[in-house]
């Protein structure tokens, strides 16, 4: 059964460009993972916010994703680059 995630990443104003570069790199690498069905990144035009829409084949694939070097590198720098991250794990209703 698919796993659906929406992640909202609020950038610090002064780090938006660096964060955008890092997030785009995460997209490229995540889409190469076997369990990745969808990994889309959106950017709000008004408030330095990035939104991921993700779909993963299963929990095991998501767990493996969370251990990838580029994800761990983002987690290590997140406090410096962001004003907060909220992740929603959802079920598709329709």
């Amino acid at each position: 059964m698919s796993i659906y995630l929406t992640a909202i990443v609020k950038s610090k104003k002064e780090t938006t460009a660096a964060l955008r570069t890092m997030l785009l790199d995460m997209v490229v690498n995540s889409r190469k993972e076997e369990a990745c069905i969808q990994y889309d990144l959106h950017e709000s035009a008004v408030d330095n916010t990035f939104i991921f829409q993700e779909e993963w084949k299963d929990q095991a694939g998501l767990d493996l994703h969370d251990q990838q070097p580029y994800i761990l590198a983002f987690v290590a720098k997140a406090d410096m680059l962001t004003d907060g991250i909220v992740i929603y794990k959802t079920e598709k209703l329709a």
Side-chain angles (χ1 to χ4, degrees):
M1 180 194 307
S2 287
I3 306 292
Y4 297 91
L5 297 178
T6 300
I8 301 170
V9 181
K10 177 76 173 159
S11 176
K12 293 182 179 179
K13 211 170 205 178
E14 66 275 10
T15 63
T16 300
L19 180 59
R20 182 185 302 109
T21 298
M22 180 173 255
L23 297 180
L24 287 169
D25 182 63
M26 287 169 46
V27 170
V28 169
N29 285 298
S30 295
R31 287 179 175 171
K32 294 176 185 176
E33 294 181 49
E34 183 180 328
C36 181
I37 297 170
Q38 175 188 359
Y39 202 89
D40 295 336
L41 176 63
H42 304 263
E43 182 177 3
S44 169
V46 294
D47 66 354
N48 303 318
T49 300
F50 297 92
I51 302 168
F52 283 102
Q53 296 289 323
E54 305 175 29
E55 182 180 356
W56 295 92
K57 185 169 113 178
D58 53 28
Q59 187 62 50
L62 178 57
D63 292 343
L64 184 60
H65 167 72
D66 289 341
Q67 296 306 311
Q68 296 302 307
Y70 50 90
I71 298 299
L72 296 175
F74 169 72
V75 170
K77 293 182 178 180
D79 284 344
M80 294 183 315
L81 298 173
T82 74
D83 277 336
I85 301 169
V86 178
I87 300 174
Y88 297 96
K89 186 175 179 181
T90 62
E91 294 181 20
K92 189 173 185 177
L93 297 179

